[in-house]
């Protein structure tokens, strides 16, 4: 199933990675491949190699910060949307547990920069092979509908008729109890499946490394989104 379109907020977050750039003087066929590989490592492991750090003139702390921001946005814009989680009522300790779960899933991300080829106007075409992680897609397809139906039956929200006799504080409390329990239910459901993280067949994607007006090279947010859609599927 095609993942939902990335929101503007997520695109901005991805640009924290994709907007990283290297100078025209530094780029060559080898570095174009290194650049793309480093961006992917920065996103999915938070620990790109030293060659990438030197190429981009950044520190390991910089890449870890970007990784953590992307991880948080992954949860808010993709995982929470897919599994109907309301962050307004999500306790901080459970949010931290979800982020740790995401890190374990991210660790299964598999991608290889196959080759880079020079094009015209200083551009480079980089071939990336991705083995999709289908953990969330499988979790949703295998039992999510039943999980949600059983939960709503066991923990029903007050009907509109009952809410008419409740204060706004009481209604909010009922919603908070429902959403908090549901967030825990989903976490337990996903956590129990971590030992069986599934993957799909490898897919090849061509991305374009392009020189900007200031002499910097970038990977477009569109190409980055396409790779992200392949790496982790919902």
């Amino acid at each position: 199933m095609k993942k939902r379109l990335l929101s503007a907020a997520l695109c901005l977050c991805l640009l924290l990675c994709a907007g990283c750039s290297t100078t025209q003087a530094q780029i060559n066929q080898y570095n174009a491949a290194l650049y793309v590989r480093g961006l992917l490592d920065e996103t999915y492991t938070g620990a790109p190699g030293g060659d990438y750090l030197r190429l981009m003139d950044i520190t390991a702390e910089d890449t870890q910060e970007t990784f953590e921001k992307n991880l948080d946005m992954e949860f808010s814009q993709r995982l929470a949307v897919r599994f109907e989680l309301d962050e307004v009522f999500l306790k901080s300790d459970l949010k931290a547990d979800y982020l740790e779960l995401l890190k374990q899933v991210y660790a299964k991300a598999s991608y290889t920069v196959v080759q880079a080829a020079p094009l015209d106007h200083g551009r480079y075409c980089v071939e990336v092979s991705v083995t999709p992680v289908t953990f969330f897609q499988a979790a949703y397809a295998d039992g999510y509908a039943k999980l949600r139906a059983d939960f709503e039956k066991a923990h029903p929200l007050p009907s509109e008729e009952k809410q008419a006799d409740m204060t706004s504080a009481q209604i909010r409390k009922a919603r908070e109890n429902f959403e908090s329990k549901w967030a825990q239910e989903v976490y337990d459901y996903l956590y129990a499946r971590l030992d069986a993280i599934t993957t799909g067949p490898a897919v090849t994607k061509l991305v374009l490394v392009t020189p900007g007006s200031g002499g910097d090279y970038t990977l477009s947010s569109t190409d980055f989104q396409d790779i992200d859609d392949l790496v982790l599927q919902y």
Side-chain angles (χ1 to χ4, degrees):
M1 179 178 180
K2 178 68 176 175
K3 292 188 294 188
R4 58 109 186 98
L5 292 176
L6 293 179
S7 70
L10 183 52
C11 286
L12 286 174
C13 181
L14 289 178
L15 284 171
L16 290 171
C17 275
C20 292
S21 58
T22 187
T23 66
Q24 190 168 357
Q26 291 174 307
I27 204 72
N28 55 41
Q29 193 166 336
Y30 168 78
N31 283 345
L34 172 63
Y35 169 61
V36 172
R37 173 72 199 202
L39 285 177
L40 298 179
D41 288 344
E42 188 173 22
T43 301
Y44 299 110
T45 72
D51 287 349
Y52 174 76
L53 299 182
R54 287 187 289 273
L55 178 69
M56 305 304 293
D57 192 23
I58 56 178
T59 67
E61 290 74 17
D62 294 331
T63 63
Q64 187 62 34
E65 181 180 352
T66 298
F67 173 71
E68 295 292 343
K69 289 178 179 178
N70 284 337
L71 195 71
D72 190 76
M73 195 63 73
E74 176 79 36
F75 173 79
S76 297
Q77 297 295 328
R78 300 175 75 177
L79 193 158
V81 171
R82 191 54 164 152
F83 293 97
E84 302 177 83
L85 306 176
D86 190 336
E87 281 197 84
V88 171
F89 301 107
L90 185 64
K91 292 181 171 59
S92 59
D93 56 344
L94 185 54
K95 171 71 174 292
D97 288 341
Y98 267 110
L99 294 180
E100 285 301 317
L101 184 147
L102 263 175
K103 286 181 182 179
Q104 293 186 57
V105 178
Y106 264 22
K108 298 297 183 179
S110 178
Y111 43 83
T112 302
V113 174
V114 181
Q115 61 182 341
L119 300 175
D120 57 355
H121 306 299
R123 300 178 303 169
Y124 286 84
C125 178
V126 181
E127 180 182 353
V128 183
S129 177
V130 176
T131 300
V133 178
T134 57
F135 175 76
F136 293 118
Q137 185 182 65
Y140 188 86
D142 291 347
Y144 177 76
K146 185 177 186 304
L147 182 76
R148 181 71 182 191
D150 289 348
F151 182 85
E152 290 179 349
K153 184 177 180 179
H155 306 279
L157 285 166
S159 65
E160 291 185 5
E161 183 177 339
K162 288 184 178 180
Q163 288 186 35
D165 296 325
M166 299 169 64
T167 66
S168 58
Q170 290 172 325
I171 294 172
R172 180 178 174 82
K173 184 64 176 177
R175 170 62 68 177
E176 180 181 1
N177 289 336
F178 178 92
E179 297 295 350
S180 296
K181 290 178 181 178
W182 173 241
Q184 186 66 58
E185 187 87 359
V186 171
Y187 175 80
D188 293 342
Y189 173 70
L190 295 175
Y191 184 82
R193 301 174 62 95
L194 280 176
D195 290 336
I197 294 180
T198 54
T199 59
V203 180
T204 296
K205 166 68 180 174
L206 300 178
V207 299
L208 188 64
V209 177
T210 307
S213 59
D216 294 338
Y217 277 80
T218 61
L219 181 66
S220 76
S221 58
T222 300
D223 278 346
F224 203 104
Q225 176 182 329
D226 288 345
I227 293 179
D228 194 56
D229 284 348
L230 290 173
V231 170
L232 190 56
Q233 301 187 358
Y234 286 79

